[in-house]
Amino acid sequence: MTETQRPPLPPFSLETAVEKVRLAEDGWNSRDLARVALAYTGDSQWRNRAEFINGREAIVTFLSTKWRRELDYRLIKELWAFAGNRIAVRFAYEWHDDSGNWFQSFGNENWEFDDSGLMRKRFACINDLPIRVEDRRFHWPLGRRPDEHPGLSDLGF
């Protein structure tokens, strides 16, 4: 493996697509900007909601702002479909703002990878739902979701 490779590499099988999705979930739950940014090509193209983000530096800026605004962020991703060098996921995450208002955010992402397993395109559609604190479903300590914690389908999402 070279520094620029991020296994598993395309073309994806069911097993490697599931692994790639979990690695992405783990990275985002770490909220480690450097770790997350290295999963993307230097010229990666994103659409996140109505924002268009181009390049790794812009990704770092975007995520830094996101994680300052979306506090106690916990995310679950689930494979939806895959073929060749593309993966589609659905996801949900919970977070609160600096006033203590909680939200569940739901969406879908389409990913495209280069031959080294770096994501070169990410298109995300996301909706936010205000929730009461007692309606939260993601209760693990901040960081990686424990293996025994239910996934989206298990939670009825």
Side-chain angles (χ1 to χ4, degrees):
M1 179 175 92
T2 67
E3 284 187 29
T4 59
Q5 283 191 327
R6 289 295 271 230
L9 307 177
F12 298 108
S13 65
L14 176 59
E15 179 180 272
T16 61
V18 168
E19 180 183 359
K20 197 72 159 179
V21 171
R22 182 57 193 244
L23 289 169
E25 175 188 314
D26 291 350
W28 280 60
N29 276 329
S30 76
R31 292 176 316 286
D32 180 334
L33 289 172
R35 175 182 171 196
V36 173
L38 288 176
Y40 302 94
T41 62
D43 62 351
S44 188
Q45 298 175 352
W46 283 22
R47 183 186 48 76
N48 194 86
R49 300 176 192 257
E51 291 184 70
F52 293 84
I53 302 151
N54 293 295
R56 194 177 281 146
E57 287 183 31
I59 291 169
V60 168
T61 300
F62 169 81
L63 290 174
S64 178
T65 301
K66 172 185 178 63
W67 290 328
R68 275 196 311 270
R69 184 181 65 246
E70 296 178 357
L71 306 173
D72 290 326
Y73 177 95
R74 290 171 179 84
L75 164 73
I76 300 176
K77 291 183 181 281
E78 184 174 279
L79 177 67
W80 186 253
F82 69 96
N85 69 338
R86 293 180 175 170
I87 295 177
V89 299
R90 62 190 203 97
F91 63 87
Y93 62 94
E94 293 182 345
W95 58 281
H96 67 85
D97 63 18
D98 59 3
S99 296
N101 300 304
W102 279 92
F103 299 87
Q104 285 176 339
S105 298
F106 304 90
N108 300 293
E109 295 175 329
N110 295 314
W111 301 341
E112 181 180 276
F113 295 88
D114 69 8
D115 291 340
S116 298
L118 297 173
M119 193 181 300
R120 66 178 163 210
K121 294 185 180 181
R122 174 185 172 269
F123 304 108
C125 298
I126 307 167
N127 298 297
D128 300 315
L129 174 68
I131 61 170
R132 300 174 305 168
V133 68
E134 56 268 21
D135 293 331
R136 290 184 52 224
R137 310 274 300 272
F138 303 173
H139 294 286
W140 67 87
L142 287 177
R144 185 179 193 276
R145 176 174 54 100
D147 291 336
E148 65 276 3
H149 191 283
L152 291 181
S153 291
D154 299 324
L155 289 168
F157 285 100

